[in-house]
Amino acid sequence: MVKAAGPGRPPTSVDIARVAGTSQATVSRALNGGRVAAATRERILAISRELGYTPNAAARSMVTSRTGLVGVVVSDLTNPFYPEFLEEIAACLGARRQHMLLQNAAGGGDREAVELLLQQRVDGIVFTAAVEGSEAVADLVARRFPVVLANRVVDAGCDSVEGDHPAGAAAVVDHLAGLGHRHIAVLAGLPGASTSARRLAGIRDRLTSLALPAPDVVETGFDYDRAVRAATELLTGPQPPTAIVGLNDQVAFAALNAAAALGVAVPSRLSVAGFDDVRQASWPTLGLTTVRQPQVAMAARSVALLNERIDDPDLAPRHEVLPAELIVRSTTGPAAS
Amino acid sequence: MVKAAGPGRPPTSVDIARVAGTSQATVSRALNGGRVAAATRERILAISRELGYTPNAAARSMVTSRTGLVGVVVSDLTNPFYPEFLEEIAACLGARRQHMLLQNAAGGGDREAVELLLQQRVDGIVFTAAVEGSEAVADLVARRFPVVLANRVVDAGCDSVEGDHPAGAAAVVDHLAGLGHRHIAVLAGLPGASTSARRLAGIRDRLTSLALPAPDVVETGFDYDRAVRAATELLTGPQPPTAIVGLNDQVAFAALNAAAALGVAVPSRLSVAGFDDVRQASWPTLGLTTVRQPQVAMAARSVALLNERIDDPDLAPRHEVLPAELIVRSTTGPAAS
DNA sequence: GATCATGGTGTATACGTATACATCATGAAG
DNA sequence: CTTCATGATGTATACGTATACACCATGATC
């Protein structure tokens, strides 16, 4: 195969060396801060700029065995929880000259997502809201591959960061109970979704310790459309609840919208609360009462933990819990008689 | 350097060959569908599975000079326009076994984003809402690097896909004019943002052809917080408009929220309309009147155009316009007297 | 003036894969 | 039996980079 040398192929460090009259090794040193005579370095940098040289990350990673890429697996990009979270992740990574490789594991099948990330030889992976007992995650952990679970509980002895679900759940229940609600419904995720499970457990615990009736629970898989249908059924049923708690803000919004579509007044006839405190929750037009999760802090800690583990795979697994806080807005009020 | 051979290093095709007693070339052929005896292929696949082999994308790309990665540059992840758009992009890419490398060009500085994507040797880049006359884009086009602009106008003779901004703008103006509005304000992006500029021009054109007064225009850079402040100023000023058009849904929501915070009733005292028809626009709690952009189709066409160009860089630049459609909901009504 | 540290550079190699080319066995076709 | 196409495999190489090692010149140190 004749070397095309056409303008199509991007210039390499060898091309620079040829022009500069040095060896390729010197070019590499000049570009990466090795010992090079000042004059030589200047010349090489100038030529590099002129040629429009861009280092080939693939070639570099082959010799350094580090890519500087970090995989991030999300379950549903349309969940408004993610934008801020991802922006913060990207920002934290940028500070260490790393970059984010985002994968959307639609429908809980994270197998393929992980496969791609491994092919790209990412240095580590942040999972958000992966399904409990995910085989893919377990495999990675078994291989001692750097993994951090964000916004979900420990499962296979790897690092994790989550909000204080019991405290948050207790706060919502206290708030609603204080308003006189006794018939509470919950829109939950799938049974295997750990975040959902922990929040639900927290709600149940608090209700029983307050000697209140157990909640109606509908598992919607955190899917917006299914949550709307579920809320509609609840509200048009024989014994509609006086309060609905969405285990994340997305399904709480679904409840709000179902109520609006049915003409059920909020908060006078129905109270709605969520979890996460997504940006839209604070909009005056929505004003959702919700349990704030420190998304930014969660992203920052996830990246920090991941990098510590990348640097030292032998660390003992760590589990961080960030404080949760109830934000009362305008979707909750005294229970209707 | 002694070859570590530890369990830390992922297995390679050479490792498989050693176990299988074949050459590395045969392993490669077996895994990629080359001519290999059925028995041999079976054995190799089994060993591959057992060892947990994952092909090294970097090494592969070095020899094939294709990475299967496509860069996507967005300007603001928190814009609700993106989630669906990105999901569709990912879906279309997946069908061709390609993958998305997402870059958030915060603050309009797309230079760094492009730099990273080039280092990763992406096969092509989809830009969304890049700033008009971006040097980074111009450079790429000059180098004949495959580029598609989504949701923005042609600038440097490269492929692009956009909504029908003039038609959409005309539809909103007609709608508002028909409701009796004569004092219309517009929340725009930055002057260099082409989408914003085209929509604004469309609005101005239609207003003048209807012999209506020119709109008040505030350039907010499509930033939510700035848009809220701008809308608040408009509504508390000496001559508040009877209608506000946001040039995307995000700033339209900002106007809605500013009005709610001020106690300005919508649509009785103020009408609000947007562009994009983001998912939330159809929520009963918001019910935003807006010009629908076919986000899904736009994503699909972008990927299609990009791949055609990757396969044949000599194609003449193409420009596709997708239909826009006004969706009337509950935020627009007859002008207050 | 001999020894030696040191800065600057070139040579050689490894990373993991795909593929062009050569080799060899097998059976069909003449 | 010879010739030849064909299938299966091995050998060798290239991709672009970082870095260990060797080498040389320079000036300092004794």
Side-chain angles (χ1 to χ4, degrees), chain B residues 292-317:
Chain B
R292 171 177 294 167
Q293 294 274 108
Q295 319 167 28
V296 169
M298 198 175 300
R301 291 307 303 152
S302 299
V303 172
L305 286 183
L306 186 64
N307 274 323
E308 287 172 26
R309 176 153 305 276
I310 290 173
D311 292 338
D312 179 6
D314 295 328
L315 288 172

Side-chain angles (χ1 to χ4, degrees), chain A residues 223-234:
Chain A
D223 178 79
Y224 176 82
D225 292 324
R226 284 175 60 189
V228 169
R229 285 198 295 274
T232 304
E233 282 179 27
L234 283 171

Side-chain angles (χ1 to χ4, degrees), chain A residues 54 57 101 119 121 257 285, chain B residues 54 57 101 119 121 257 283 285:
Chain A
T54 306
L101 193 47
Q119 288 188 8
R121 295 294 190 267
N257 287 319
T285 42
Chain B
T54 308
L101 193 45
Q119 288 188 10
R121 295 295 190 267
N257 287 320
W283 286 6
T285 43

